[in-house]
Amino acid sequence: MSENAARGGTATSNEIDLQELVAQSDTGARSPGGSIGLLLSLVALSWSLFQLYYASTLPFLLTDLLGVNVTLNSDTARSVHLAFALFLATMAYPLFRHSSRHVIPWYDWILAFLGVASCLYLVFNKEAISDRAGLPTDMDLIVSTVGMISMLIATYRALGLPLVIVASAFLFYVFFGDQPFIPEVIQWKGASYGKAMWHYWMQTEGVFGIALGVSASMIFLFVLFGAMLDQAGAGNYFIKVAFALLGHLRGGPAKAAVVSSAMTGLISGSSIANTVTTGTFTIPLMKRVGFKPETAGAVEVSSSVNGQIMPPVMGAAAFLMVEYVGVTYLDVVRNAILPATISYIALLYIVHLEALKQGMQGLPKPGPAKTVLQSIIGVLTGFLSLAILAAVLHYGLGWTKDVFGDATFQAVVVIFLAAYAGLLYVASKRPDLELDDPDAPITSLPEFIPTLLTGLYYLLPIIVLVWCLMIERFSPGLSAYWASVGMIVILLTQKPLKAMMRASGDVAGQAREGVSDLIKGLIGGARNMIGIAVATGAAGIIVGTISLTGAHQIMGEFIEFLSGGNLMIMLVLVAIFSLILGMGLPTTANYIVVSSLLAGVVVEIGAMNGLIVPLIAVHLFVFYFGLMADVTPPVGLASFAAAAISRGDPLKTGFTAFFYSLRTVALPFLFIFNTDLLLIDVGPIQAVFVFIVATIAMMLFAAGTQGYFFARNKAWEAVALLLIAFTLFRPGFWLDMVQPPYVSTNPAQVFETASELPADGYLKLVVRGPDFDNPDKELETFVEVPLGASGDGETRLSDAGLTIMEEDGKALLEEPFPGTPYFEKFQSFDFYGDEPVQVVDVQTPANRLPKEVFYIPAILLLLVVVGLQRRRTNVPAF
């Protein structure tokens, strides 16, 4: 609801257009009234209740109580999940642009019924289908065909043509990939109609694969949690707190927009919704303090899209990475948190530089003006408070298990309720936060502490989420479930309890409002999920095609051919392909498509060039570049949404946002070569050091690209700042030029070399041999072998999963056994041809200078630039 509508006024045409844009992209533009509207709401409500039931322990309790199995397996849950999504997509999203927004035509009822029936067919015939083992009946093929068509139509409704075109192209390749008009380099043998439909619809290799499973088990609950948090008023609270904290600084509204978008991005799965939610308030304020319309829109777009890279949700991609990379959810959060945080800090600094260039001032702040020293002390106190809060949460939450033991869960429930009652009492002593009109004059900013205290209880469900994930080590789905239960309690009780604590107002009426808010939150969460659920199903077509045809290997060969084997050119090509494939796709589908096609390419070609890249780094690389499509014209939908608010030029807004997002473009290249940024094998003290250095480096990168540091940059100063930033990010680049990172030894002495290395050391082997698919072609790749405990070299290599034989001065490699770490790694080699597969080089880490020594010349050069620029300006840096 818009601000005017919330106050009982009339929404402007611009607000209506924005509501329409969000509805078309996220929740569905159709809102029929009467009994049909009620039916639509009841189905959405039922979907949320079903997902809560599936995530809870209630099915197991009811099974024990009733003696009848009412639990749901993963396959059934996926089918029901997609059935709800197809029905709501058909009902909520008009098929044609000119279709009525208030009446559902007869053909939509038919399409909705067919989509639901195609999904539920798998539920009611699951035993018969499993018995057929790949031999589909005519009815199976009819249902599969109808289901695929229904899903593609629903995808078109909810997400537009881009994903439909991509999925259709992959379907076309499956059936016609053996035809002469297909270039020979990408041809494959083709598949029969029955085999393909069985693969796509009747099994868990295609539509009902991992992506849809993650949507049903994890993503829905996080989106629902975010929807209920927003319905409770947390979105407005985050914006008000950000403005109270930062609005008085130079370019304060823009800085507040960045912070509020970051906080909203923690719970949002949509760049566009984030842009409109915070931008409706922040963009007009940015314009009022001097920002151009395009600049104001670009700042909002950059910060909103950045919300998709910020844990814990990451546009739902975090949960997919758990399955695709094979790591825990906490690992994904740990790996992703530092680049996302650095990117947001750099955006804040970009806003500050823009404000400096234009001589802007902040908004008036209540109370006496503070000196520079008081401001610095205030900032340090804020950081210290956050650090203390983080320590209290970490050690305090861990302490509960030590004290309460088996009763920890019950104790935490009591602590939650007590903390909620206390914080709600504090909030009740202050007026509730109202939605402000961004076009109304601002005489002063709200005070920070009173504003902060009005909604601290909103943080409790987030603390529950952290506790479940980090202390109890629950699954992400179960953790989100308990956090959602906390939100349900808050939605039901916050208004009536405040009325009781204030001893005023209609408590019964407030209780009814609480129930209404809960129902709206449950319905809103389901409607927010329509596009994501349909996207994961449609993206399953791409994943299914890859598993059926091996298309990712063809893509890898194509990119290898274009890059000529050059690692940097390959990374640039992968970035460009990710950007193109991501155009017009929502975050979830975007990640599925680009990671399925391109993640393996980076790993394989990197290994051929001697760069061993962790898989999580590769997935984050393609994820970052796929997201840039939300910013970049001509498809950047978030840029169009921001331009609609700012009344600026959409294309100029998009290009400005892309320019501001160069820091996000640079980060993936940096953490591919310097995995310290992902906190991989980094201890706590080193992590703090990496964070500080990387933050400084990214701010210098921003200063170099924005043309302003302490004063306007001269050309050589901009180059110097970029060079300094690069050195701080990747000092190992310069060290590699001075001292090689590895020392080569004779392959025939691989056992002796492995014996001499210390415990937990590693070898880097260069393996060469004939290609299994093309015996005339020779393959070469690098592999890093961790050796574990000290001991005999042959034993250490065998324990690592490699069998090597020394013969005639050569180190011959045997085919790794299935299930060992290197079985899939070496599947492309022909171990049974005339030419053996052999280790042609053995490399051990060299004893070198610490790479941080190159920080010294970088800092000296920085001091020179600072000294020269300070002479040219009298404007305070802050």
Side-chain angles (χ1 to χ4, degrees):
M1 182 180 292
S2 69
E3 283 86 351
N4 282 337
R7 287 185 297 275
T10 303
T12 67
S13 61
N14 187 53
E15 288 173 326
I16 294 170
D17 291 342
L18 290 171
Q19 294 172 39
E20 180 76 7
L21 179 61
V22 174
Q24 288 176 355
S25 62
D26 284 325
T27 61
R30 184 184 279 152
S31 298
S35 58
I36 303 301
L38 178 62
L39 173 65
L40 197 61
S41 297
L42 287 175
V43 173
L45 178 63
S46 300
W47 192 11
S48 291
L49 294 175
F50 166 78
Q51 295 290 162
L52 288 169
Y53 172 81
Y54 174 56
S56 71
T57 57
L58 186 59
F60 302 98
L61 295 176
L62 289 177
T63 296
D64 292 338
L65 182 64
L66 301 176
V68 179
N69 185 12
V70 292
T71 59
L72 300 171
N73 62 29
S74 174
D75 292 349
T76 299
R78 295 178 195 189
S79 299
V80 175
H81 182 76
L82 187 59
F84 272 115
L86 293 182
F87 181 85
L88 288 174
T90 306
M91 296 289 107
Y93 291 86
L95 182 57
F96 304 109
R97 187 178 298 274
H98 61 270
S99 298
S100 171
R101 299 296 189 264
H102 306 291
V103 177
I104 299 176
W106 61 269
Y107 55 80
D108 278 351
W109 288 103
I110 294 175
L111 287 172
F113 170 78
L114 291 175
V116 172
S118 301
C119 294
L120 297 185
Y121 178 84
L122 303 179
V123 177
F124 294 109
N125 294 277
K126 57 184 178 182
E127 293 182 2
I129 291 172
S130 63
D131 291 340
R132 287 198 275 275
L135 298 174
T137 64
D138 290 343
M139 182 55 70
D140 290 343
L141 295 181
I142 292 171
V143 168
S144 299
T145 303
V146 171
M148 293 281 284
I149 293 172
S150 299
M151 190 185 62
L152 289 174
I153 294 175
T155 303
Y156 168 71
R157 290 173 183 269
L159 306 170
L161 272 177
L163 185 55
V164 176
I165 292 172
V166 173
S168 299
F170 277 83
L171 285 172
F172 182 87
Y173 177 67
V174 166
F175 295 118
F176 302 102
D178 59 342
Q179 297 300 309
F181 56 80
I182 299 292
E184 186 176 351
V185 69
I186 63 171
Q187 282 187 6
W188 84 294
K189 63 181 180 180
S192 68
Y193 188 77
K195 179 180 179 180
M197 287 298 103
W198 181 269
H199 185 79
Y200 283 127
W201 196 262
M202 292 290 161
Q203 297 295 294
T204 55
E205 300 292 331
V207 172
F208 297 95
I210 290 175
L212 190 66
V214 173
S215 177
S217 63
M218 300 182 199
I219 298 175
F220 189 102
L221 290 163
F222 276 85
V223 171
L224 178 62
F225 173 67
M228 290 194 292
L229 195 58
D230 187 58
Q231 181 65 40
N236 183 48
Y237 171 71
F238 289 156
I239 294 173
K240 289 292 185 68
V241 169
F243 268 87
L245 183 64
L246 300 171
H248 65 287
L249 302 175
R250 289 182 184 272
K255 292 174 180 174
V258 173
V259 173
S260 58
S261 291
M263 290 189 289
T264 305
L266 292 174
I267 58 173
S268 172
S270 167
S271 302
I272 299 169
N274 196 351
T275 299
V276 173
T277 300
T278 58
T280 302
F281 185 72
T282 60
I283 289 175
L285 290 176
M286 281 189 263
K287 290 170 62 180
R288 286 175 51 197
V289 297
F291 283 94
K292 296 177 181 178
E294 291 79 11
T295 303
V299 169
E300 181 58 49
V301 170
S302 300
S303 54
S304 296
V305 172
N306 251 41
Q308 304 298 284
I309 67 174
M310 178 64 76
V313 177
M314 295 170 63
F319 315 111
L320 292 163
M321 286 183 191
V322 170
E323 300 295 329
Y324 288 161
V325 182
V327 296
T328 66
Y329 174 75
L330 289 178
D331 286 333
V332 173
V333 171
R334 184 178 66 250
N335 296 147
I337 187 67
L338 188 57
T341 303
I342 292 170
S343 185
Y344 263 117
I345 292 173
L347 183 57
L348 278 171
Y349 187 58
I350 288 172
V351 168
H352 181 73
L353 293 176
E354 288 290 338
L356 279 175
K357 284 191 282 187
Q358 300 181 42
M360 296 179 188
Q361 298 297 323
L363 295 172
K365 185 178 182 180
K370 292 185 178 180
T371 65
V372 175
L373 180 60
Q374 289 175 322
S375 299
I376 293 174
I377 292 174
V379 171
L380 293 176
T381 303
F383 277 111
L384 184 61
S385 301
L386 289 175
I388 293 172
L389 178 61
V392 168
L393 288 177
H394 183 271
Y395 294 106
L397 294 177
W399 169 78
T400 56
K401 286 187 72 70
D402 296 331
V403 172
F404 298 109
D406 293 338
T408 298
F409 185 83
Q410 292 82 353
V412 168
V413 170
V414 173
I415 293 171
F416 171 86
L417 293 175
Y420 172 55
L423 292 175
L424 194 66
Y425 178 79
V426 171
S428 70
K429 300 307 175 184
R430 291 162 179 80
D432 292 335
L433 296 177
E434 298 291 338
L435 288 169
D436 293 330
D437 184 353
D439 297 319
I442 292 183
T443 55
S444 66
L445 289 168
E447 294 186 47
F448 175 64
I449 296 299
T451 304
L452 180 68
L453 293 177
T454 57
L456 274 178
Y457 60 91
Y458 291 134
L459 301 180
L460 290 176
I462 299 175
I463 293 173
V464 169
L465 180 65
V466 173
W467 179 78
C468 290
L469 285 170
M470 299 189 67
I471 306 302
E472 288 293 337
R473 297 298 177 102
F474 290 160
S475 68
L478 187 57
S479 300
Y481 166 76
W482 286 116
S484 298
V485 170
M487 275 312 310
I488 290 173
V489 171
I490 289 175
L491 279 168
L492 286 174
T493 62
Q494 63 171 342
K495 289 183 177 179
L497 285 179
K498 279 184 181 179
M500 292 174 60
M501 292 172 179
R502 291 167 176 164
S504 62
D506 179 10
V507 176
Q510 294 295 308
R512 288 192 294 271
E513 279 196 35
V515 174
S516 175
D517 286 343
L518 173 60
I519 293 173
K520 289 177 183 176
L522 293 172
I523 294 173
R527 294 193 68 147
N528 288 342
M529 265 301 297
I530 297 172
I532 297 175
V534 171
T536 53
I541 294 176
I542 291 104
V543 177
T545 300
I546 291 169
S547 64
L548 189 63
T549 66
H552 62 294
Q553 295 176 345
I554 296 170
M555 179 65 76
E557 292 174 359
F558 180 60
I559 291 180
E560 183 182 2
F561 169 76
L562 291 178
S563 65
N566 183 281
L567 186 60
M568 279 306 301
I569 295 177
M570 179 271 294
L571 289 173
V572 171
L573 286 172
V574 169
I576 293 171
F577 275 113
S578 299
L579 186 61
I580 293 171
L581 287 169
M583 285 186 177
L585 300 187
T587 304
T588 312
N590 176 331
Y591 167 69
I592 295 169
V593 172
V594 296
S595 64
S596 300
L597 277 176
L598 300 174
V601 175
V602 180
V603 173
E604 292 175 14
I605 299 180
M608 292 177 186
N609 285 268
L611 179 66
I612 309 299
V613 186
L615 193 56
I616 183 66
V618 177
H619 278 256
L620 286 171
F621 181 91
V622 297
F623 174 59
Y624 270 50
F625 278 102
L627 275 180
M628 293 307 295
D630 275 350
V631 177
T632 312
V635 184
L637 296 178
S639 297
F640 280 87
I645 302 172
S646 70
R647 294 179 173 86
D649 179 79
L651 290 179
K652 190 174 181 181
T653 300
F655 283 116
T656 306
F658 182 81
F659 189 62
Y660 288 166
S661 300
L662 284 176
R663 72 204 189 285
T664 312
V665 172
L667 273 171
F669 285 98
L670 293 167
F671 60 59
I672 283 287
F673 292 101
N674 182 8
T675 56
D676 288 353
L677 293 173
L678 301 181
L679 302 181
I680 295 175
D681 298 326
V682 170
I685 296 176
Q686 188 183 359
V688 174
F689 179 75
V690 169
F691 172 70
I692 294 172
V693 172
T695 300
I696 294 171
M698 186 52 74
M699 292 172 72
L700 294 174
F701 177 84
T705 55
Q706 294 302 308
Y708 196 97
F709 190 27
F710 285 85
R712 292 192 182 275
N713 296 332
K714 295 180 180 179
W716 76 268
E717 289 173 340
V719 173
L721 289 172
L722 294 176
L723 183 63
I724 295 166
F726 176 77
T727 302
L728 295 178
F729 270 123
R730 197 177 170 228
F733 175 82
W734 306 112
L735 183 59
D736 290 347
M737 296 178 67
V738 177
Q739 292 178 311
Y742 295 97
V743 176
S744 294
T745 59
N746 187 347
Q749 298 176 347
V750 63
F751 296 147
E752 291 85 345
T753 304
S755 300
E756 294 168 358
L757 287 173
D760 298 322
Y762 66 92
L763 283 175
K764 200 171 184 181
L765 305 181
V766 182
V767 179
R768 184 185 299 158
D771 187 341
F772 183 83
D773 297 318
N774 184 5
D776 296 330
K777 179 182 176 182
E778 195 169 56
L779 298 177
E780 184 175 295
T781 190
F782 285 72
V783 62
E784 199 170 83
V785 184
L787 296 176
S790 301
D792 174 69
E794 185 173 1
T795 302
R796 296 178 81 180
L797 288 167
S798 178
D799 291 343
L802 294 178
T803 302
I804 298 175
M805 297 188 301
E806 293 183 0
E807 185 178 304
D808 298 330
K810 297 179 179 179
L812 307 183
L813 181 65
E814 293 288 311
E815 183 178 18
F817 292 107
T820 59
Y822 302 100
F823 175 68
E824 292 187 5
K825 176 75 176 177
F826 294 121
Q827 275 190 326
S828 299
F829 288 93
D830 184 1
F831 286 90
Y832 305 101
D834 295 334
E835 292 294 324
V837 178
Q838 57 182 309
V839 178
V840 295
D841 193 14
V842 177
Q843 300 177 357
T844 56
N847 187 15
R848 306 193 295 169
L849 291 169
K851 61 185 179 182
E852 289 77 14
V853 71
F854 288 92
Y855 290 162
I856 297 173
I859 292 172
L860 292 175
L861 180 57
L862 176 61
L863 293 175
V864 171
V865 174
V866 171
L868 292 174
Q869 290 207 357
R870 288 295 294 164
R871 295 180 182 179
R872 304 201 305 268
T873 182
N874 293 320
V875 179
F878 294 96

